[in-house]
């Protein structure tokens, strides 16, 4: 379903993704684990047509994201790592807009919107503008939106960042169900090892743009002689803390937030 | 097509929700109408040019549309910073449709803003010469809106940060406004100003508007329409080209 061969992406001289190759089978749940700045989001942006690769070959359901972006986009759904809601619309309007962009028929759209809003505890407040929402509510709305149309491949980029355990549990239960019932292929990244352990079939550990290990959770543990996935992860990527580099847009966002007093 | 409609609707909803800004933004045009329209009227009349309020009102209406449509580009930068742009760019919709939907939305709100100022002008004492000119006047306002929304989109797609956008816009907006025919007649100008006014797109928009509203166009309506029409197409194409190259 996803086929990546020798993928490299540079930003100027800096190599964010360094010659990685992997395959994800149809119906698989595949996790990318890696410290901050490892290149996870960059890889997802390339797979989802948002960024062209510097070199290498990518196929999504047999299609090239740079040559046939619209066909690839018809097959995918994505929950971004960073916020991507329209804060001046209500939750309902955000979902409705998404459904229209993804050509979900109106009647089906309404039903699914209600179901997802209820599932993520937002139904009562669906008509409020998103800017009134708390961080956790926004995150839940982003997830609900990503699940609104039924994609063949679902990309989840650190979907549970800032979520309470209840919502996390809801999310993963729902994702597993989608995977089992509708055969949706899932590509996820997370910082929470227990989540990867719980839902992912295979796991790729990525660091400094390279895949340092790939296998099932049991295989990674065996390879490193670790008792837990967390230990295996630390054995593979070291214990040094990675600087989270704020890029220009992060800084701008922060400034804008401060300026608006929230 | 559905995408164009929903993105257009989004811009209108956001506009409708910013009532305070909408009302506040009527202040400046009102000031122009009163201070210039009434303040300069005696001099203008002595010069044998008739009623200045009548002359300047189309210019002030056009100014409103100019400002509003140029600065709509900031919404693009805002949407990029706050991530909403990604959400639309990853949808199974051609990028051109996204761009057209946004442009139609921004141009529509600029147009509505212009119509509000037109209403204010009427309250201030402005009267169009004949009702039959109104459809053509509307067409010119729409063309002004599309032309300068496209400029806003081009700049907004090219620059990433708001300060840069503000700077470029401030550099553009004042010359475009003051060096057009918005405030003064095009006859008897010194040579350099003849050149400057004729390379300013707004000149043709205002001239067409004035011709339609008070029958005092300098050029023919056909020329004004042709220039604005060609510019609308060319600049929208340029905006689409820049928009297609945005990386998020
Ligand atoms: N547009 C960009 N320009 C320059 N550098 C970038 C850009 N996007 C990402 N990077 C850099 O590439 C590296 C990988 O980033 P990312 O893929 O976001 O990592 P992860 O998602 O694994 O935390 C980081 O060092 C980041 O600063
Ligand atoms: Mg990331």
């Amino acid at each position: 379903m996803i086929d990546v061969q020798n993928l490299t992406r540079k930003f100027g001289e800096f190599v964010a993704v360094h010659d990685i190759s992997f395959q994800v089978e149809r119906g698989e749940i595949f996790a990318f684990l890696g410290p901050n700045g490892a290149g996870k989001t960059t890889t997802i942006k390339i797979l989802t047509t948002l960024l062209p690769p510097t070199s290498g070959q990518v196929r999504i359901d047999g299609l090239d994201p740079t040559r046939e972006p619209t066909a690839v986009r018809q097959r995918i759904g994505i929950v971004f790592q960073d916020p991507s809601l329209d804060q001046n619309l209500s939750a309902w309007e955000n979902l409705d807009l998404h459904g229209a962009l993804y050509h979900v028929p109106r009647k089906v759209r309404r039903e699914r919107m209600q179901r997802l809003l209820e599932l993520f505890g937002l139904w009562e407040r669906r008509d409020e503008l998103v800017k009134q929402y708390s961080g956790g509510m926004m995150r839940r709305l982003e997830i609900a939106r990503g699940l609104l149309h039924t994609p063949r491949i679902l990309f989840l980029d650190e979907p549970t960042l800032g979520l309470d355990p209840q919502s996390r549990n809801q999310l993963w239960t729902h994702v597993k169900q989608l995977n089992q019932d509708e055969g949706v292929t899932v590509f996820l990244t997370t910082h929470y090892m227990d989540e990867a352990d719980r839902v992912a079939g295979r796991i790729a550990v990525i660091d400094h743009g390279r895949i340092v290990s790939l296998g099932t959770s049991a295989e990674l543990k065996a390879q490193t002689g670790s008792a837990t996935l967390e230990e295996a992860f630390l054995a593979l990527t070291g214990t040094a803390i990675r600087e989270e580099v704020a890029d220009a847009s992060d800084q701008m966002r922060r400034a804008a937030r401060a300026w608006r007093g929230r | 097509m559905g995408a164009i409609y929903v993105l257009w609707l989004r811009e209108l909803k956001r506009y409708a929700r910013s009532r305070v800004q909408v009302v506040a933004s009527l202040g400046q045009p009102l000031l122009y109408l009163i201070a210039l329209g009434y303040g300069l009227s005696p001099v203008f009349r002595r010069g044998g040019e008739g009623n200045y309020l009548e002359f300047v009102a189309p210019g002030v209406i056009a100014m409103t549309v100019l400002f509003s449509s140029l600065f709509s580009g900031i919404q693009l930068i805002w949407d990029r910073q706050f991530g909403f742009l990604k959400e639309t760019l990853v949808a199974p919709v051609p990028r051109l449709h996204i761009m057209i939907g946004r442009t139609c939305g921004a141009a529509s709100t600029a147009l509505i803003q212009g119509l509000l100022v037109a209403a204010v002008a009427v309250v201030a004492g402005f009267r169009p010469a004949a009702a039959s000119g109104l459809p053509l006047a509307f067409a010119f306002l729409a063309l002004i809106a599309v032309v300068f929304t496209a400029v806003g989109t081009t700049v907004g797609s090219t620059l990433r940060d708001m300060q840069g956008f503000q700077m470029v816009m401030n550099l553009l907006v004042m010359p475009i406004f003051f060096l057009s025919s918005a405030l003064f007649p095009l006859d008897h100008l010194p040579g350099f100003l003849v050149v400057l006014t004729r390379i300013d797109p707004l000149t043709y928009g205002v001239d067409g508007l004035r011709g339609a509203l008070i029958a005092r166009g300098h050029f023919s309506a056909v020329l004004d329409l042709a220039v604005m029409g060609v510019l609308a197409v060319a600049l929208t194409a340029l905006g689409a080209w820049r928009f297609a190259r945005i990386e998020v």
Side-chain angles (χ1 to χ4, degrees):
Chain A
M1 204 64 173
I2 303 176
D3 186 5
V4 173
Q5 300 290 344
N6 308 105
L7 176 64
T8 296
R9 171 70 207 205
K10 294 185 188 168
F11 293 107
E13 286 300 295
F14 179 75
V15 186
V17 175
H18 197 127
D19 192 26
I20 63 171
S21 303
F22 62 90
Q23 283 83 40
V24 179
E25 300 305 320
R26 195 174 297 267
E28 192 177 357
I29 299 186
F30 188 87
F32 242 30
L33 294 188
N36 289 329
K40 304 181 295 293
T41 299
T42 304
T43 306
I44 289 194
K45 281 187 179 170
I46 295 169
L47 299 182
T48 56
T49 77
L50 284 176
L51 205 61
T54 305
S55 65
Q57 186 186 294
V58 174
R59 289 290 177 274
I60 302 290
D61 201 9
L63 301 161
D64 181 345
T66 34
R67 291 243 180 81
E68 296 161 281
T70 307
V72 169
R73 290 176 197 149
Q74 267 157 6
R75 290 161 168 76
I76 62 176
I78 177 166
V79 174
F80 295 103
Q81 175 185 329
D82 306 319
S84 64
L85 298 164
D86 184 341
Q87 306 220 350
N88 289 306
L89 295 182
S90 69
W92 183 262
E93 289 167 335
N94 266 285
L95 290 182
D96 198 42
L97 180 59
H98 180 92
L101 288 178
Y102 282 81
H103 317 296
V104 182
R106 193 173 291 262
K107 190 160 170 292
V108 183
R109 201 192 303 168
R110 294 266 151 88
E111 285 163 11
R112 307 195 102 221
M113 278 160 67
Q114 174 162 5
R115 224 184 65 218
L116 286 164
L117 285 169
E118 283 169 352
L119 184 67
F120 287 102
L122 297 169
W123 176 249
E124 307 293 323
R125 298 181 63 181
R126 63 188 177 278
D127 291 325
E128 265 175 60
L129 295 193
V130 170
K131 64 180 167 196
Q132 321 281 0
Y133 274 23
S134 71
M137 291 170 72
M138 288 189 197
R139 200 70 200 133
R140 266 142 52 201
L141 181 58
E142 299 243 9
I143 292 167
R145 190 182 63 181
L147 302 171
L148 181 60
H149 64 291
T150 22
R152 287 187 221 172
I153 311 176
L154 182 59
F155 291 90
L156 303 168
D157 196 358
E158 298 190 28
T160 50
L161 204 68
L163 280 192
D164 57 23
Q166 285 81 1
S167 311
R168 260 186 228 179
N169 181 50
Q170 281 293 9
L171 167 69
W172 295 124
T173 308
H174 191 76
V175 165
K176 285 197 99 162
Q177 210 176 345
L178 274 180
N179 174 257
Q180 271 156 22
D181 299 351
E182 309 193 28
V184 176
T185 307
V186 181
F187 184 106
L188 65 98
T189 78
T190 176
H191 280 307
Y192 302 102
M193 301 298 146
D194 56 315
E195 294 182 344
D197 218 354
R198 174 179 159 196
V199 296
R202 283 187 311 144
I203 296 166
V205 177
I206 177 170
D207 197 11
H208 299 299
R210 296 172 202 260
I211 293 183
V212 292
S213 191
L214 199 164
T216 62
S217 171
E219 284 165 359
L220 294 184
K221 284 177 212 161
Q223 183 197 339
T224 53
S226 316
T228 64
L229 187 58
E230 182 120 21
E231 274 176 39
F233 179 76
L234 290 174
L236 288 164
T237 59
T239 51
I241 292 171
R242 310 306 158 88
E243 279 303 321
E244 181 113 54
V245 198
D247 62 13
S249 65
D250 282 334
Q251 285 164 4
M252 173 99 57
R253 237 175 258 141
R254 240 167 258 148
R257 239 171 247 148
W259 179 63
R260 294 194 307 174
R262 58 182 95 235
Chain B
M1 282 335 241
I4 296 179
Y5 170 71
V6 292
L7 290 172
W8 171 80
L9 192 63
R10 164 185 184 246
E11 300 293 334
L12 287 191
K13 275 185 185 159
R14 290 175 61 110
Y15 176 74
R17 274 169 203 172
S18 59
R19 273 186 217 112
V20 179
Q21 278 113 300
V22 171
V23 172
S25 64
L26 297 180
Q28 197 187 2
L30 185 62
L31 214 54
Y32 270 86
L33 285 171
I34 291 174
L36 298 181
Y38 283 97
L40 289 181
S41 219
V43 186
F44 202 68
R45 201 180 295 277
R46 239 174 289 146
E49 296 279 352
N51 182 344
Y52 189 59
L53 175 69
E54 190 172 86
F55 179 86
V56 84
V60 174
I61 297 168
M63 171 192 83
T64 309
V65 178
L66 167 76
F67 285 14
S68 168
S69 48
L70 268 183
F71 280 96
S72 71
I74 201 129
Q75 183 62 42
L76 189 52
I77 293 180
W78 204 260
D79 279 345
R80 170 134 61 147
Q81 300 302 348
F82 283 87
F84 180 72
L85 189 63
K86 290 197 287 250
E87 148 77 358
T88 56
L89 294 187
V90 81
V93 175
R95 247 190 213 205
L96 183 63
H97 291 194
I98 309 264
M99 185 269 180
I100 291 175
R102 295 183 66 102
T103 302
C104 289
S108 301
T109 57
L111 192 55
I112 295 172
Q113 193 74 14
L115 294 177
L116 287 179
V117 171
V120 169
V122 169
V123 172
F126 171 73
R127 294 290 175 271
S132 57
L134 293 182
L136 188 60
F138 185 82
F140 274 109
L141 275 187
L143 281 169
I144 297 172
V146 171
V147 165
F148 292 105
T149 300
V151 176
T153 303
T154 306
V155 179
S157 306
T158 310
L159 299 177
R160 266 178 174 270
D161 68 302
M162 267 169 256
Q163 288 93 328
F165 182 86
Q166 299 273 15
M167 232 175 62
V168 172
M169 281 306 155
N170 289 332
L171 230 57
L172 280 178
V173 72
M174 286 305 162
I176 291 179
F177 173 57
F178 283 108
L179 299 179
S180 75
S181 59
L183 296 177
F184 47 80
L186 287 170
D187 341 87
H188 318 301
L189 294 176
F192 72 97
L193 203 51
V194 171
V195 176
L196 289 175
T197 47
R198 272 153 186 79
I199 55 176
D200 183 343
L202 189 64
T203 293
Y204 303 92
V206 171
D207 192 64
L209 189 61
R210 196 169 276 140
L213 285 177
I214 57 167
R216 278 194 62 175
H218 183 84
F219 307 114
S220 73
V222 175
L223 175 77
D224 290 330
L225 267 182
V227 172
M228 291 304 282
V230 168
L231 280 173
V233 173
L235 289 170
T236 303
L238 178 69
W241 177 69
R242 291 307 309 166
F243 189 79
R245 264 150 198 78
I246 293 182
E247 274 184 10
V248 285

